[in-house]
Amino acid sequence: MTTKADAIKPSSLSFQKKEMKEVKPAAEVRPWVDEDLQDDTEIRTKEEDDGDWVESGGEEELAHVPYLASRYPVEVMVQRSQDFYSLMNQRRSVRFISPEPVPRQVIDNVIRTAGTAPSGAHTEPWTFVVVSDPEVKHQIRLVVEEEEEVNYRQRMGDKWVSDLQRLRTNWVKQYLDEAPYLVLVFKQTYGVVDGGQKKTHYYNEISVSISCGLLLAALQNAGLVTVTTTPLNCGPQLRLLLRRPANEKLLMLLPVGYPAPDATVPDLTRKPLNDIMVHL
Amino acid sequence: MTTKADAIKPSSLSFQKKEMKEVKPAAEVRPWVDEDLQDDTEIRTKEEDDGDWVESGGEEELAHVPYLASRYPVEVMVQRSQDFYSLMNQRRSVRFISPEPVPRQVIDNVIRTAGTAPSGAHTEPWTFVVVSDPEVKHQIRLVVEEEEEVNYRQRMGDKWVSDLQRLRTNWVKQYLDEAPYLVLVFKQTYGVVDGGQKKTHYYNEISVSISCGLLLAALQNAGLVTVTTTPLNCGPQLRLLLRRPANEKLLMLLPVGYPAPDATVPDLTRKPLNDIMVHL
């Protein structure tokens, strides 16, 4: 089947519009934060709204083609849903990753899979920076560990110094050197149209997070592991290190590889269906 | 394999802490909006941070168990990654959904699959409200279409009246009546601990969006279709209609079913790998 695409349908946004005035002032004060904030809160101006609507309208006006789907007999469908759940339910966040090489072709396919996610107004607002260069991986580790250390120092205060050893195990991120690939997922908070004007990408964080869900499914399906981390405060430094443009913000960092032979995971359980689903 | 779980590792949050003061005032003004805003911006107080860190620490201190993974021969791994990409790449947002019934067992399995997503501090901050009751579905449709109409009226102004017919096709959402199931995805913005205190669920929107990515993958794997919609402004009304507690905010609404026999989709394409991936 040829490559197709789709878009999250935005709804009316009068609330966000009203909020804008209250948050805007922060912009001048701390640009970094404001850009992140603006992104997270999906703040938009009237003009941007019109632009977005025109864009959505544009999609509506595109030629429609028949949707051809594979349909399974009921018993096959039920079995497939059960098997997929069983496979996904074996996924865990693994922090012990083997340095053995992983076929690049597999990485390409899991990123392609992430790129099939729906997105607001079909903006496809994601950039996946895949790092295998040992030196770049180490630079990333230094940035992330520095942020983490600041964290723990702030939290522990004086206790920190005496507690050094125990704490190191918390902020030291060996997998950032050892994993054959680091996938840094950036959300594109706006695009630049022909006139050079910025066009806000609505719902970009939701869209990119959905694509990360598909990425996790693809990795699990291939027998690879990762741990979903959100080093938000490292974003600006890592963006500069990786030479990404200003409209891209780091959303997640995923070390990818085979699990280490002696990998362990916390002995946690998941909520049963009745705790997460309500049927009406 | 027994049910296991995992958690998104939060990073330091000093930026959000500083931002809090600037956004807080909005709270008194428009509670609804502020709660949504607060949620989206992941604002947190020092105390909440400590609580969160303690919780993360708690996870660290949990007993670890060996991680047992299925490992595939390289050629099998490559083929699996290719096949999964091909399957996911056939997914489209479909707005023409058949009213034919769908086995409830399949719906249960796709929701179970969504529940395997990682989440901040393993809060599993999602509630999936699955609606098959025709009357409730219709009530939901009325709320959503009312919001959409307000939208289009605002956008079109006077032109609107003369353009009624063309516009109706934009805001009328027949699939909300016709789809056998509507899945309303709520993010739990905070939990209530034993003392009755609120405990903010960090990264809840990112976590729930990731789980929606897994939900989309599970639906596609089963041969079902949906369209990812974000009726944010309908959230408060729909939350009350569905009797969800105040800590739950509507994030997405997904009509689920078989595609209609005559279903069509906009003739869009997706970005090629080189446009979404950068290798270093």
Side-chain angles (χ1 to χ4, degrees):
Chain A
M1 185 183 222
T2 58
T3 305
K4 301 299 193 65
D6 47 15
I8 293 174
K9 192 98 166 50
S11 186
S12 64
L13 301 149
S14 49
F15 283 7
Q16 288 87 335
K17 268 183 261 171
K18 295 203 182 69
E19 277 313 296
M20 187 184 64
K21 294 172 186 54
E22 277 127 14
V23 185
K24 195 74 173 289
E28 284 72 62
V29 189
R30 310 177 66 242
W32 269 3
V33 179
D34 180 69
E35 284 184 51
D36 285 341
L37 247 188
Q38 177 173 44
D39 175 47
D40 294 351
T41 52
E42 302 294 350
I43 297 158
R44 60 212 67 190
T45 64
K46 188 70 179 64
E47 306 72 58
E48 283 167 334
D49 257 350
D50 294 343
D52 187 48
W53 281 114
V54 171
E55 184 170 72
S56 298
E59 190 211 330
E60 298 297 331
E61 286 147 22
L62 264 183
H64 271 239
V65 294
Y67 172 72
L68 309 167
S70 45
R71 178 156 177 164
Y72 310 103
V74 167
E75 61 281 3
V76 174
M77 185 187 199
V78 171
Q79 189 58 54
R80 286 179 64 90
S81 69
Q82 180 59 51
D83 294 345
F84 190 68
Y85 165 62
S86 301
L87 177 63
M88 290 302 122
N89 196 34
Q90 289 168 39
R91 189 196 56 77
R92 292 298 310 271
S93 289
V94 176
R95 296 175 174 79
F96 306 94
I97 299 179
S98 165
E100 7 172 17
V102 165
R104 169 65 188 273
Q105 205 179 334
V106 172
I107 299 300
D108 288 354
N109 283 332
V110 298
I111 300 298
R112 283 190 182 97
T113 304
T116 66
S119 57
H122 192 49
T123 45
E124 300 175 277
W126 37 69
T127 302
F128 300 91
V129 180
V130 176
V131 180
S132 55
D133 180 287
E135 183 45 41
V136 178
K137 285 194 293 181
H138 190 65
Q139 291 300 320
I140 291 170
R141 175 178 180 172
L142 295 180
V143 171
V144 172
E145 288 186 349
E146 184 184 12
E147 273 295 336
E148 287 282 293
E149 181 172 352
V150 168
N151 245 349
Y152 283 103
R153 281 180 181 275
Q154 288 175 341
R155 175 188 165 203
M156 300 304 292
D158 300 342
K159 192 168 177 300
W160 180 79
V161 181
S162 62
D163 240 351
L164 192 61
Q165 280 317 310
R166 189 174 73 77
L167 287 172
R168 279 192 61 79
T169 64
N170 284 332
W171 88 66
V172 169
K173 308 223 173 297
Q174 205 164 350
Y175 56 71
L176 293 175
D177 274 323
E178 292 181 346
Y181 292 100
L182 301 183
V183 178
L184 291 91
V185 184
F186 288 83
K187 56 186 183 186
Q188 300 167 356
T189 59
Y190 61 85
V192 177
V193 291
D194 303 347
Q197 290 169 305
K198 293 179 178 181
K199 187 174 64 61
T200 302
H201 287 164
Y202 304 135
Y203 305 100
N204 67 75
E205 182 161 298
I206 292 175
S207 303
V208 177
S209 298
I210 290 173
S211 79
C212 285
L214 293 173
L215 179 57
L216 292 178
L219 288 170
Q220 175 66 13
N221 174 74
L224 296 174
V225 297
T226 188
V227 51
T228 309
T229 68
T230 53
L232 295 185
N233 294 355
C234 307
Q237 289 178 78
L238 293 179
R239 178 176 71 79
L240 294 174
L241 174 66
L242 301 173
R243 298 192 166 73
R244 300 311 306 162
N247 67 323
E248 296 188 4
K249 308 295 176 195
L250 182 65
L251 183 63
M252 287 180 227
L253 193 170
L254 307 177
V256 170
Y258 294 102
D262 59 351
T264 60
V265 291
D267 192 13
L268 298 172
T269 58
R270 291 183 174 130
K271 294 177 179 175
L273 183 62
N274 289 342
D275 289 0
I276 66 173
M277 184 172 94
V278 175
H279 181 242
L280 300 176
Chain B
M1 187 180 219
T2 58
T3 304
K4 300 301 191 65
D6 47 16
I8 293 174
K9 193 98 166 49
S11 185
S12 63
L13 301 149
S14 47
F15 283 8
Q16 288 86 338
K17 268 184 259 170
K18 296 201 183 71
E19 276 313 297
M20 187 184 65
K21 294 172 188 57
E22 278 126 12
V23 184
K24 194 73 174 288
E28 287 70 62
V29 191
R30 309 177 65 242
W32 270 4
V33 178
D34 180 68
E35 284 184 53
D36 285 340
L37 247 188
Q38 178 174 43
D39 176 48
D40 293 352
T41 52
E42 303 291 352
I43 298 156
R44 60 212 68 190
T45 65
K46 188 70 178 64
E47 307 70 56
E48 283 168 334
D49 257 350
D50 293 343
D52 187 49
W53 280 112
V54 172
E55 182 169 77
S56 299
E59 189 211 329
E60 298 296 331
E61 287 147 22
L62 265 183
H64 271 240
V65 293
Y67 172 73
L68 309 166
S70 46
R71 178 157 178 163
Y72 310 104
V74 167
E75 61 282 2
V76 173
M77 186 187 198
V78 171
Q79 187 59 52
R80 286 181 63 91
S81 69
Q82 180 60 52
D83 294 344
F84 190 68
Y85 165 61
S86 301
L87 177 63
M88 291 300 121
N89 196 34
Q90 290 168 38
R91 190 197 54 76
R92 293 298 309 273
S93 288
V94 176
R95 296 175 173 79
F96 306 96
I97 299 178
S98 165
E100 339 164 48
V102 166
R104 169 63 188 276
Q105 205 180 337
V106 172
I107 299 299
D108 289 353
N109 282 333
V110 298
I111 300 297
R112 283 192 182 96
T113 304
T116 66
S119 57
H122 192 47
T123 45
E124 301 175 278
W126 37 68
T127 302
F128 300 91
V129 179
V130 176
V131 180
S132 56
D133 180 283
E135 183 46 39
V136 179
K137 285 194 294 182
H138 191 65
Q139 291 300 320
I140 291 170
R141 176 179 179 171
L142 294 180
V143 171
V144 172
E145 289 186 349
E146 185 184 11
E147 273 295 336
E148 287 281 292
E149 180 172 354
V150 168
N151 242 351
Y152 283 103
R153 280 181 182 275
Q154 288 175 341
R155 177 188 163 202
M156 300 304 292
D158 301 340
K159 191 168 176 302
W160 180 81
V161 182
S162 63
D163 241 351
L164 190 61
Q165 280 316 311
R166 190 174 72 79
L167 287 172
R168 278 192 63 78
T169 64
N170 283 334
W171 88 69
V172 170
K173 307 221 173 297
Q174 207 165 350
Y175 57 71
L176 293 176
D177 274 323
E178 291 181 347
Y181 291 102
L182 300 182
V183 179
L184 291 92
V185 184
F186 288 82
K187 56 187 184 186
Q188 299 167 355
T189 59
Y190 61 86
V192 178
V193 291
D194 303 345
Q197 290 170 305
K198 294 179 178 182
K199 186 174 65 61
T200 301
H201 288 163
Y202 305 134
Y203 305 99
N204 66 74
E205 182 161 299
I206 291 174
S207 303
V208 177
S209 298
I210 290 173
S211 78
C212 285
L214 292 173
L215 180 58
L216 293 178
L219 289 170
Q220 175 65 13
N221 174 74
L224 296 174
V225 297
T226 188
V227 52
T228 309
T229 69
T230 53
L232 296 185
N233 293 355
C234 307
Q237 287 179 78
L238 293 179
R239 178 176 72 78
L240 295 174
L241 174 67
L242 301 174
R243 299 192 165 73
R244 300 310 307 163
N247 67 324
E248 297 188 3
K249 307 296 177 195
L250 182 65
L251 183 62
M252 285 179 230
L253 192 170
L254 308 177
V256 170
Y258 293 104
D262 59 351
T264 60
V265 291
D267 192 13
L268 297 172
T269 59
R270 291 182 174 130
K271 293 178 179 175
L273 183 62
N274 288 342
D275 290 359
I276 67 173
M277 185 174 92
V278 175
H279 181 242
L280 300 175

